[in-house]
Amino acid sequence: LFNSHPFADTADVVESRKKNIALVEAGSKADIIPIFAGNLYAAHSRQTMPEAIAKSLSIASATDARTVIADLRGMMTRTSSSALVEVGQVPLLWILGDEDSHINHLEVVKNVALPANAEVSVLNGTGHMGFVEAEEVSASILMRFASKLWAF
């Protein structure tokens, strides 16, 4: 799991997603995309990575409104998969950003009973886009984890 969690949305998050759906349906996608895209990054990255943020903004802006709405509805209606994570039938690598404004890494890890074959890596100074903000560190973590799998 990369900058993700296995939980269903809270009531507050569902309401926020409903408001965003209403805005997109009303034709205001262009008003919310810049705020959304910028908030994916840690505060420091917003100052040092303008090209990456511009690319994220471009991709998000080009996304069809129907796709944005479907994504929001999909996240809003997902059920909890924490039991699947906790069972540990397959090795799990979980990478989180310590400055992610969408996912609180401390709360997520605290609320999941991880099995022995699970590993959590927290990327310092990154937000929800850790794979962009800390590309080389992320690749290193992934390669190390994959090499352990190949050893089986």
Side-chain angles (χ1 to χ4, degrees):
L1 298 172
F2 212 126
N3 297 103
S4 187
H5 64 77
F7 308 116
D9 280 351
T10 64
D12 289 344
V13 173
V14 168
E15 284 309 308
S16 176
R17 293 195 201 283
K18 285 180 180 178
K19 287 178 186 173
N20 285 330
I21 288 170
L23 287 169
V24 174
E25 288 176 334
S28 296
K29 182 185 89 162
D31 296 335
I32 63 172
I33 292 296
I35 297 165
F36 175 77
N39 286 339
L40 292 174
Y41 293 83
H44 175 74
S45 297
R46 289 193 291 270
Q47 301 301 315
T48 61
M49 302 184 77
E51 299 88 11
I53 293 170
K55 183 175 180 180
S56 294
L57 178 58
S58 175
I59 292 168
S61 296
T63 303
D64 187 271
R66 293 171 299 182
T67 302
V68 173
I69 292 167
D71 287 347
L72 290 167
R73 284 191 177 131
M75 289 184 286
M76 190 172 73
T77 60
R78 68 182 163 201
T79 58
S80 178
S81 299
S82 59
L84 179 65
V85 171
E86 292 171 345
V87 168
Q89 288 185 322
V90 296
L92 170 70
L93 172 61
W94 203 341
I95 303 174
L96 300 163
D98 70 340
E99 295 183 33
D100 190 332
S101 62
H102 296 279
I103 298 172
N104 181 320
H105 71 286
L106 297 172
E107 287 294 314
V108 170
V109 174
K110 181 177 85 172
N111 291 316
V112 177
L114 292 173
N117 64 348
E119 178 180 324
V120 177
S121 290
V122 177
L123 300 173
N124 294 323
T126 69
H128 202 66
M129 298 292 283
F131 53 92
V132 174
E133 295 170 281
E135 184 178 355
E136 289 181 22
V137 173
S138 298
S140 175
I141 291 168
L142 288 168
M143 291 303 293
R144 182 184 44 75
F145 184 75
S147 69
K148 291 189 326 187
L149 298 179
W150 292 326
F152 287 108

